[in-house]
Amino acid sequence: MAKRRIQNLLFVPISLLLLSGGIAGLIRAPLCSKNSIRWKTSEGRIFVADILDSTAAGAGIRAGDALLEMDDEPVTRGTDVDFLFESRESGRTIPLLVERGDAEYRLSLVLVPKFKNWFILLNGLLGVLFWAVGFFVFLKKPEVRAARIFGWGTVAIAFTILMVRPGFPYSGHTAEFLLPVVFHLTYPLIPAFILAFFLLYPDEKSVTRKYRLLPAALFLPALIFAALFTATYLPAIRDRSLESFAKYGKIYNFFRAYFILYVSIAIGSLIHSYRCSESRESRRRIQWILWGLSFGMAPFLFLWYLPISLGLKPLIPEEMNYLFLLFTPPAFLFSILKYHALDIEVILNRSIVYAILTGLIVSVYLILTGLAGHKLWMAARKPGEWFTIGFTLAAAVLFNPLRRRVQTFVDRHFYKIRYNYRMAIMEFSNAVTSAGSREGLIGMFMDRVHSAVPTDKMALFLSQPPGHVFEVAGCRGIHPDESKAVEKDCEIELAQIAKRRKATLAKMNRAEMKGIDVLPPGSCMDKLGIELLIPALLQKRVAGFLGMGRKLSGDRFFSEDLGLLIPMAEQAVAALERFRLQEAVLIEKAEKTKLEDLNRLKTEFLSHVSHELRSPLTAITWSTGNLLDGIPEKSSPVVRQVIAQIDECGRRLDRMIGNLLDITKIEADRIEIQPDPLNVSDEIQGALSVLRPLAEEKKVRFQVKAPPDLKVLADHDAFRTILTNLIENAVKYSPPGSPVGIEAAAPDKANAGMIEFSIRDRGSGIPKEKQNVIFEKFERLKSGSSAKEKGLGLGLYIVRKLIELQSGRIRVESEPGKGSVFHFKLPVSETVRRQPGG
Ligand code: ADP
């Protein structure tokens, strides 16, 4: 803990010192002179293999010359030549002694600067870029070990890049020796930093978890190299000792091997992480780094380093390597920023990223155009101003569109407008329409949402049917026990949210947008790990919620996420509601057919039973009828009365069974109506004769009023049933001794072509609100004196049906306590109507 605090305290001053030291080195870089001669050794002598610069050719040096002395010092090793070039400042003229054939020649060579100004600038840019990235990452996450190593390592790399060269040549001031010492300390540390970093990033490897001290141990060889470098390089530059420089060169060869070994292990570890990594994000992060490394390092390794180590001419100039290296820090930036692994986006907000990237692209562009201009100028041997002006103008014209492109690129890649939103929604719509089941749809929805915005948890809450409580329809990353535990509270909470708000809610600081409500801390959603709650509206009311957990990328939620998730959630909720309605219709249909089947069964049963009952009953009533008619004298009045009662009960039973049979026929649509001209008076008398025993029992008097020749066009059985039922009711519901009137009126103007029948009683009457109801099946009055009478509630229903089947109408006029009149109309028979005229 304390160690870390010291490290944090030291980081800022040390990194700032390194930056300034690096810049001091950068400023000295133009003094370095270029090695104009490529040498080869043969039989202990040094020969000129190649002339690398036109100034050397101009001085009269030729390939094949043997080098004897440079700057008045005898040269005996190849490294002596390198040392002499590196340790003399550019612009100076040095004497050379060469042997050509048998003769010796004294030549003088003007030293040219090793580095072009644009190259030094490029170096500066690259170094500062590295430094800034390392500095910010460290400051942002000092508590993360990988971030600390990244910070130190990147600052060290930045310093080495900025220094350009260890710092030749020296005027001899002691202070000037400081820079090469620091350089030789930081340079060997770089591979150790790289390896330590990749052992901890993107995920800590098991080795370092097991051996906590391993990353620190990696630095041991680096420190040894640092000590050896200082011990050889310092005397070399202080005493201009060729011996020391030659030793330094030997150590450097070992150092190279160490460098390559460490970096290879680091890359191996990175590839290993890539293959083993489970999350897509960490794979993408590694991909970016691999791209950056391969793009930045491959030319250096394959086009420059490899040919040199094979003793060939490099395929690209050394400076070119740096051009490619420029791509490495942005790749790291991509990796770190895009996935916000170290969460530095708060400091490096969008505008800084735009600026860095645009600046970078413009510099690369200018450098390339500058180079092209120079080359063209050389080729055309004409003043280059026109080219320069042309390229500058082109740069000016291109800058704005380039800036815009960079901006959209950055927005899309860094800030997650990474999905083509319309496409994603369209694809989802297609998938929704082809979903076959509710479960399939929910699963597909979850998958699509997860691939668009991956989060650790996800839940879909639905209120189905709308207005019902919210229930978990599907979830990911949430254990069923977890959701069960807060189920009741969630219902209440979501119902409240749905009632009050239609806007998205997010946990504090979890969404990067305005107009969002805050999820109350400690809520059920909080307990479930939901950080964003999106309401899905259906016909303006909240029908569902999509709950999202923490983004796997570590990001906050952006408005682009909502732009995609809201329509997806609403489509899903609408489709699920459609599924529910379809299911409800199917269930209703199934229930209806089931009911119809039951009804049919019941009707068949009734019909069957009624038939079976009727046969013995007919035998009984036939026998009682015979008894009453045939042997009256022989029986006593009591016997006669008993027989009459049996007879009446039998007939009543017969009428009831008749009604049941009629009902079954009506229900089954099997009733057959055969209209015949029927004499109204005769039919009324027929009906009355059946009911007479009942009327006598109740002492009811019938008052019939019907024109004698009036004929109705009706089905005989049906007409009888109508009359019997209505008159029987009138008798049943009348007080004893009261009259029951039966009237039939010939057609008049008001009733053209129709006979109006009225059955009048002075009974209990029917309340107004019940007057329509009594014509329905099984409807009986439940209060009043009529409620006491026994019955099935079928008579009036059958009557209405039979009348309607014959194009007639029935209605009732009634006043409770005063009595009722049932009016019905049936067509008059044509023959009767024609009679008065004919
Ligand atoms: P049921 O007479 O077998 O009960 P109905 O369908 O014939 O069945 O009559 C339905 C109900 O209408 C009766 O229960 C009775 O309450 C009422 N009702 C029918 N006719 C009259 C009437 N003439 N006076 C009073 N109430 C009547």
Side-chain angles (χ1 to χ4, degrees):
M1 204 48 197
K3 232 167 52 191
R4 195 200 299 165
R5 218 171 296 136
I6 295 170
Q7 200 186 134
N8 295 354
L9 276 177
L10 287 177
F11 180 77
V12 176
I14 290 182
S15 58
L16 283 172
L17 276 174
L18 285 177
L19 179 69
S20 19
I23 290 170
L26 189 76
I27 291 166
R28 303 168 58 92
L31 291 176
C32 294
S33 51
K34 188 176 173 185
N35 187 347
S36 312
I37 297 168
R38 213 151 70 80
W39 47 261
K40 60 177 184 211
T41 43
S42 163
E43 292 160 12
R45 280 154 63 91
I46 305 161
F47 292 96
V48 177
D50 227 337
I51 295 159
L52 301 172
D53 194 82
S54 54
T55 46
I61 306 168
R62 288 194 207 143
D65 288 354
L67 273 173
L68 303 176
E69 278 179 21
M70 279 180 82
D71 206 11
D72 300 327
E73 291 202 41
V75 285
T76 51
R77 286 161 295 218
T79 49
D80 295 351
V81 182
D82 296 338
F83 180 74
L84 278 155
F85 274 111
E86 278 205 57
S87 59
R88 276 34 173 193
E89 64 204 61
S90 65
R92 262 183 61 179
T93 310
I94 54 164
L96 296 180
L97 179 67
V98 301
E99 192 186 283
R100 189 180 303 151
D102 294 333
E104 284 188 359
Y105 296 90
R106 284 205 173 272
L107 307 169
S108 54
L109 176 71
V110 182
L111 296 179
V112 287
K114 185 177 171 86
F115 305 112
K116 303 232 163 43
N117 282 342
W118 66 260
F119 173 74
I120 292 170
L121 261 174
L122 188 68
N123 242 351
L125 191 77
L126 192 67
V128 171
L129 202 67
F130 266 103
W131 185 87
V133 172
F135 190 76
F136 283 127
V137 169
F138 188 103
L139 286 200
K140 189 57 203 155
K141 289 264 156 152
E143 72 281 0
V144 178
R145 208 164 163 212
R148 286 200 304 272
I149 293 182
F150 181 84
W152 283 113
T154 318
V155 164
I157 294 175
F159 174 74
T160 352
I161 294 173
L162 284 172
M163 281 287 292
V164 187
R165 264 292 180 271
F168 277 113
Y170 293 92
S171 54
H173 281 298
T174 322
E176 282 192 321
F177 294 123
L178 198 65
L179 281 180
V181 171
V182 177
F183 176 89
H184 283 106
L185 183 68
T186 53
Y187 193 30
L189 288 175
I190 291 172
F193 276 125
I194 292 176
L195 182 53
F197 175 70
F198 284 122
L199 286 179
L200 298 170
Y201 181 89
D203 310 300
E204 191 174 347
K205 307 288 160 321
S206 49
V207 198
T208 47
R209 242 175 284 147
K210 207 163 160 196
Y211 308 104
R212 300 298 297 177
L213 287 177
L214 180 72
L218 292 175
F219 287 83
L220 215 67
L223 293 176
I224 295 171
F225 275 114
L228 291 174
F229 277 157
T230 317
T232 50
Y233 192 79
L234 263 187
I237 54 169
R238 194 188 53 215
D239 313 329
R240 300 208 160 186
S241 153
L242 292 174
E243 294 295 321
S244 301
F245 193 76
K247 277 185 205 151
Y248 171 78
K250 276 190 192 126
I251 296 167
Y252 203 88
N253 284 337
F254 285 107
F255 174 73
R256 264 191 201 139
Y258 148 82
F259 197 111
I260 290 171
L261 179 76
Y262 264 47
V263 172
S264 311
I265 299 176
I267 291 175
S269 149
L270 189 67
I271 292 169
H272 175 77
S273 325
Y274 179 73
R275 294 190 47 187
C276 300
S277 112
E278 272 158 26
S279 86
R280 204 161 61 109
E281 274 63 39
S282 90
R283 246 203 307 273
R284 298 295 298 263
R285 262 189 260 162
I286 302 167
Q287 248 171 16
W288 273 106
I289 291 185
L290 285 175
W291 271 116
L293 282 177
S294 45
F295 203 79
M297 308 280 250
F300 167 74
L301 286 175
F302 297 109
L303 304 179
W304 194 78
Y305 196 79
L306 192 71
I308 283 195
S309 47
L310 293 175
L312 299 170
K313 234 176 145 177
L315 295 172
I316 49 165
E318 192 182 356
E319 294 93 326
M320 269 294 190
N321 292 325
Y322 282 78
L323 250 181
F324 287 104
L325 268 180
L326 262 182
F327 290 93
T328 309
F332 275 76
L333 258 178
F334 270 47
S335 167
I336 293 168
L337 277 189
K338 187 175 175 188
Y339 297 101
H340 303 297
L342 301 170
D343 206 9
I344 65 168
E345 93 274 27
V346 184
I347 301 175
L348 282 180
N349 59 30
R350 264 177 227 216
S351 51
I352 294 180
V353 178
Y354 295 151
I356 290 180
L357 273 187
T358 316
L360 204 79
I361 292 172
V362 168
S363 338
V364 171
Y365 174 80
L366 285 178
I367 288 162
L368 290 178
T369 51
L371 265 179
H374 180 71
K375 283 268 174 316
L376 280 173
W377 177 58
M378 298 285 280
R381 303 213 167 278
K382 270 185 207 154
E385 280 102 85
W386 289 110
F387 294 109
T388 317
I389 291 170
F391 281 121
T392 316
L393 274 180
V397 170
L398 284 176
F399 184 77
N400 224 15
L402 185 75
R403 189 188 54 80
R404 248 180 282 131
R405 285 200 154 218
V406 169
Q407 205 155 318
T408 19
F409 176 81
V410 169
D411 278 345
R412 188 161 290 164
H413 290 267
F414 288 81
Y415 295 97
K416 299 289 151 86
I417 315 174
R418 61 185 163 125
Y419 22 74
N420 186 338
Y421 164 135
R422 252 187 40 213
M423 281 284 289
I425 293 180
M426 254 163 56
E427 274 174 27
F428 179 67
S429 304
N430 289 340
V432 164
T433 44
S434 57
S437 69
R438 186 188 135 96
E439 278 62 41
L441 180 72
I442 292 173
M444 185 274 292
F445 171 70
M446 293 273 172
D447 286 348
R448 300 257 167 167
V449 168
H450 186 76
S451 71
V453 184
T455 48
D456 60 348
K457 289 171 182 198
M458 200 199 305
L460 178 67
F461 304 93
L462 274 187
S463 143
Q464 270 193 329
H468 201 252
V469 288
F470 285 90
E471 281 171 3
V472 180
C475 59
R476 256 181 188 227
I478 299 174
H479 196 270
D481 292 346
E482 262 180 285
S483 62
K484 199 100 201 119
V486 287
E487 190 181 72
K488 273 274 155 292
D489 295 341
C490 272
E491 276 174 19
I492 299 167
E493 192 176 301
L494 289 176
Q496 280 171 352
I497 294 175
K499 213 185 287 170
R500 269 182 287 131
R501 280 178 274 225
K502 294 197 168 88
T504 300
L505 289 97
K507 213 171 145 180
M508 214 48 168
N509 296 329
R510 293 318 285 154
E512 193 193 62
M513 51 195 134
K514 295 194 182 78
I516 275 212
D517 290 336
V518 177
L519 257 182
S523 64
C524 296
M525 292 302 121
D526 220 17
K527 283 179 201 148
L528 286 177
I530 298 293
E531 303 202 337
L532 184 81
L533 195 65
I534 301 172
L537 303 188
L538 192 70
Q539 282 148 6
K540 292 190 183 155
R541 57 197 286 191
V542 182
F545 283 102
L546 171 63
M548 304 283 282
R550 200 177 53 81
K551 268 192 179 180
L552 290 184
S553 59
D555 288 339
R556 299 192 285 162
F557 288 95
F558 307 114
S559 47
E560 289 81 11
D561 295 330
L562 282 195
L564 181 76
L565 296 176
I566 293 178
M568 274 173 89
E570 293 193 339
Q571 276 193 33
V573 166
L576 286 167
E577 179 61 12
R578 267 202 307 278
F579 265 123
R580 190 190 64 80
L581 288 175
Q582 276 168 8
E583 266 167 28
V585 167
L586 283 179
I587 290 172
E588 208 173 293
K589 225 173 167 180
E591 274 174 0
K592 210 172 146 200
T593 33
K594 210 164 140 192
L595 273 180
E596 277 170 2
D597 285 351
L598 272 176
N599 210 26
R600 192 173 41 76
L601 270 177
K602 179 208 74 186
T603 311
E604 281 170 7
F605 174 75
L606 268 181
S607 153
H608 187 73
V609 170
S610 315
H611 268 295
E612 293 302 308
L613 286 176
R614 205 160 214 190
S615 328
L617 199 62
T618 315
I620 294 171
T621 44
W622 184 80
S623 309
T624 47
N626 271 353
L627 274 175
L628 287 171
D629 292 347
I631 43 165
E633 319 78 43
K634 288 182 192 159
S635 59
S636 70
V638 178
V639 172
R640 204 183 157 78
Q641 200 184 348
V642 170
I643 295 174
Q645 240 166 20
I646 296 172
D647 186 57
E648 168 46 20
C649 285
R651 282 171 206 279
R652 201 190 299 168
L653 211 59
D654 189 54
R655 284 199 295 280
M656 277 186 175
I657 290 172
N659 273 349
L660 280 176
L661 273 171
D662 283 345
I663 275 280
T664 58
K665 281 190 207 148
I666 289 169
E667 298 280 277
D669 254 344
R670 282 209 308 259
I671 201 143
E672 278 174 27
I673 298 289
Q674 270 199 345
D676 283 318
L678 305 172
N679 186 289
V680 171
S681 293
D682 294 351
E683 290 305 316
I684 294 174
Q685 287 313 322
L688 290 182
S689 70
V690 176
L691 294 167
R692 202 142 278 137
L694 179 71
E696 277 170 10
E697 196 183 299
K698 277 206 100 173
K699 298 193 175 57
V700 164
R701 286 167 287 124
F702 290 124
Q703 295 173 344
V704 183
K705 237 165 107 188
D709 297 328
L710 193 59
K711 285 197 176 171
V712 68
L713 189 65
D715 178 271
H716 179 261
D717 288 350
F719 189 52
R720 227 353 131 67
T721 310
I722 296 166
L723 284 178
T724 329
N725 269 309
L726 289 175
I727 299 168
E728 187 186 354
N729 276 355
V731 175
K732 235 163 70 177
Y733 301 114
S734 287
S738 64
V740 166
I742 302 115
E743 286 167 30
D748 57 12
K749 269 202 186 122
N751 291 316
M754 301 298 256
I755 302 171
E756 176 155 333
F757 298 87
S758 311
I759 319 295
R760 189 184 304 273
D761 65 61
R762 298 239 182 101
S764 50
I766 301 153
K768 205 141 199 89
E769 68 278 7
K770 292 282 176 194
Q771 288 179 5
N772 282 330
V773 182
I774 50 167
F775 291 104
E776 296 303 327
K777 236 188 301 182
F778 302 113
E779 288 292 344
R780 309 193 69 237
L781 297 184
K782 290 185 182 66
S783 57
S785 54
S786 74
K788 282 177 238 142
E789 294 293 337
K790 297 209 167 46
L792 293 172
L794 290 175
L796 286 179
Y797 173 73
I798 293 168
V799 165
R800 179 171 65 84
K801 283 282 175 189
L802 291 178
I803 291 172
E804 282 169 0
L805 279 170
Q806 299 179 82
S807 328
R809 288 278 166 276
I810 183 163
R811 68 191 163 92
V812 63
E813 279 173 11
S814 178
E815 221 177 295
K818 290 200 175 156
S820 321
V821 191
F822 284 84
H823 300 280
F824 72 92
K825 291 173 192 173
L826 280 175
V828 68
S829 168
E830 295 287 329
T831 49
V832 177
R833 249 194 291 168
R834 258 182 266 122
Q835 263 178 359

